[in-house]
Amino acid sequence: MDRRNEESPSTLVKALPIPPPLPSHFNTRFHQKSKIRGLCCVSNAINSSMDRLFDEGYRADVSILTDDGGVIYAHANILGVVSPVFKGMLKKLKGRGRNRLKSISIRGVPPEAVRVFIRYLYSSRRKHEKLCPAFIGAVTRVRVSQLKRLCECWLEHRLMSTENVIDIFQLALLCDAPRLSLICHRFILSNFKAVSASDGWKDMKESHPVLEKEILASMIDEKERKKERTRKMNERKVYVQLYEAMEALVHICRDGCRTIGPHDKILRDDKAPCQYAACKGLEALIRHFAECKMRRPGGCVHCKRMWQILELHSRLCANSDGCRVPLCRNFKQRRRHQSKKEDITWRILVKKIVRSRSINGAPFFSLESA
């Protein structure tokens, strides 16, 4: 067999053409993904190592005593770096022998919660099912701010209910957690009937009567604020409706609206629907005003309303000389003979109407004309 025709693998590889380079964005994304994956692997490996260090207690030099008499072994270097409180406690115990374990007591917290807390200091891992409301108290005492925020979030989203919100509220006040206390307070106000019937409320009534009075006072204040907000919203709706009526009046008198308009305009019934919602009601009022025999002010109720609309328009109108609305210039001249009190009342109304739409220098009206 002639081996001269057979080529070695290395020769074949050299003979293959070089592939074109990948697009720049593809290379960038690939490298970024590979970097992120690498970092995740490194992070998981480090966390696993720190968990093993905690679980095995390798060369631990600190023993943490819990309420049930149990002992949790830890390392002074890690505790001191994470918590300034632990650092100060360990400094006080520094002179008690090198080879002797330093003892720290954490009381008032369930032992399992203490274990979860110390484990978090090693690897930033936690188990929500092992936590309790008192856990945030221990975190506050040792000043681990990151874990404190996580505890607040856990209490807010996973544990809070009508039965325990009073306890969480008192705990938030004691542990200087303003956001959590505010959320608890809002929860109490929103579910006051159910919360006031809970055992936590009864216990608070006996142990902290001052806090109960403050919550009841805030409940009354909240009701008053709600009434005030409702009143202002309804008032603003009225001003918006008046503004829309003024726009519709200008639209009718200047452009015409299907069946009603100025004498020099050709009206057509087949026009598209009017964009002004107040046109229909205002059209009926104008027709009544034109046909009513008691048009004098103070006579017919509907006519009196029309007089007020015309006067309100004259006070909103920025250009009465070119205005097509009837009696606009007459009302401006009549204003000179009005009393000061009546003039001030109209001015206040005009400003509120214009500001209700947040308009300054609108196509039809302006705040300067007020």
Side-chain angles (χ1 to χ4, degrees):
M1 188 174 183
D2 191 3
R3 292 187 178 181
R4 287 178 296 178
N5 296 328
E6 294 181 1
E7 296 180 0
S8 63
S10 59
T11 308
L12 289 172
V13 169
K14 290 179 181 178
L16 290 174
I18 300 173
L22 291 170
S24 58
H25 66 278
F26 183 87
N27 286 330
T28 305
R29 289 177 183 176
F30 177 77
H31 287 305
Q32 286 178 350
K33 287 182 180 179
S34 61
K35 286 180 182 179
I36 291 170
R37 288 173 184 170
L39 288 173
C40 291
C41 294
V42 171
S43 177
N44 291 332
I46 292 173
N47 285 335
S48 299
S49 300
M50 296 303 290
D51 283 338
R52 285 181 57 195
L53 181 65
F54 172 76
D55 293 333
E56 297 174 6
Y58 178 70
R59 290 196 176 185
D61 53 357
V62 178
S63 60
I64 299 172
L65 309 179
T66 58
D67 281 343
D68 63 344
V71 180
I72 299 172
Y73 295 100
H75 300 80
N77 291 336
I78 293 176
L79 298 182
V81 168
V82 175
S83 169
V85 176
F86 277 141
K87 187 176 182 180
M89 293 170 68
L90 293 170
K91 276 186 178 180
K92 292 180 181 179
L93 301 173
K94 191 174 182 181
R96 297 189 180 182
R98 293 183 179 179
N99 298 325
R100 186 178 176 183
L101 284 174
K102 304 176 182 65
S103 297
I104 297 174
S105 299
I106 298 180
R107 306 296 181 184
V109 182
E112 191 61 31
V114 176
R115 185 174 182 83
V116 173
F117 165 55
I118 300 299
R119 176 186 286 276
Y120 176 84
L121 300 183
Y122 278 74
S123 61
S124 299
R125 292 182 181 179
R126 64 215 181 266
K127 295 182 180 180
H128 291 299
E129 62 273 9
K130 300 293 184 180
L131 303 182
C132 67
F135 187 81
I136 192 174
V139 174
T140 304
R141 274 184 283 173
V142 298
R143 297 181 188 176
V144 184
S145 57
Q146 184 182 1
L147 185 55
K148 182 181 177 182
R149 287 193 294 271
L150 291 173
C151 290
E152 291 177 15
C153 185
W154 171 74
L155 290 171
E156 175 188 346
H157 295 288
R158 297 206 177 193
L159 191 69
M160 190 179 297
S161 66
T162 54
E163 293 296 325
N164 61 12
V165 66
I166 295 295
D167 298 330
I168 296 175
F169 181 51
Q170 296 180 80
L171 190 64
L173 294 175
L174 290 172
C175 296
D176 190 25
R179 186 181 185 278
L180 182 61
S181 61
L182 177 62
I183 290 168
C184 289
H185 185 257
R186 289 178 178 175
F187 187 90
I188 293 168
L189 296 182
S190 302
N191 306 274
F192 183 74
K193 189 175 181 180
V195 172
S196 60
S198 64
D199 295 333
W201 181 273
K202 295 173 184 176
D203 295 338
M204 180 194 66
K205 193 174 181 179
E206 294 178 1
S207 59
H208 298 91
V210 176
L211 183 59
E212 183 204 10
K213 290 180 181 179
E214 290 179 356
I215 293 175
L216 292 175
S218 66
M219 186 75 184
I220 296 170
D221 292 340
E222 181 63 23
K223 285 182 178 179
E224 293 297 326
R225 284 195 293 268
K226 192 173 181 180
K227 286 180 182 178
E228 184 66 18
R229 285 196 299 268
T230 305
R231 185 189 67 80
K232 287 184 177 180
M233 286 177 64
N234 294 333
E235 187 178 289
R236 187 178 181 278
K237 285 180 182 177
V238 173
Y239 294 144
V240 170
Q241 289 173 358
L242 286 172
Y243 190 93
E244 290 175 353
M246 295 298 103
E247 286 183 324
L249 179 63
V250 174
H251 164 64
I252 291 172
C253 296
R254 188 186 65 180
D255 305 322
C257 183
R258 290 188 296 181
T259 61
I260 188 170
H263 62 87
D264 56 346
K265 290 284 184 179
I266 300 174
L267 304 176
R268 292 185 302 175
D269 293 337
D270 58 345
K271 281 186 177 181
C274 183
Q275 62 177 342
Y276 297 98
C279 255
K280 190 173 181 180
L282 195 59
E283 179 182 343
L285 190 62
I286 292 172
R287 290 187 182 279
H288 170 82
F289 185 71
E291 298 171 359
C292 183
K293 297 178 181 180
M294 298 175 62
R295 282 191 296 176
R296 64 181 185 275
C300 176
V301 177
H302 300 292
C303 291
K304 184 180 179 180
R305 188 178 301 170
M306 191 65 204
W307 285 112
Q308 291 173 344
I309 289 174
L310 291 173
E311 184 169 0
L312 180 59
H313 164 79
S314 70
R315 290 179 172 273
L316 281 164
C317 186
N319 184 19
S320 58
D321 295 331
C323 183
R324 301 293 299 272
V325 177
L327 304 176
C328 181
R329 189 185 302 175
N330 293 5
F331 273 108
K332 283 191 179 290
Q333 294 173 355
R334 179 176 170 270
R335 196 186 308 171
R336 301 170 186 171
H337 305 290
Q338 285 182 336
S339 62
K340 188 176 181 180
K341 184 178 179 181
E342 188 178 359
D343 185 59
I344 290 172
T345 304
W346 277 106
R347 285 175 178 273
I348 292 171
L349 176 63
V350 167
K351 285 183 179 180
K352 287 183 177 180
I353 289 172
V354 176
R355 286 172 180 169
S356 68
R357 294 295 297 268
S358 301
I359 293 175
N360 190 2
F364 301 143
F365 318 115
S366 76
L367 193 58
E368 295 176 0
S369 64

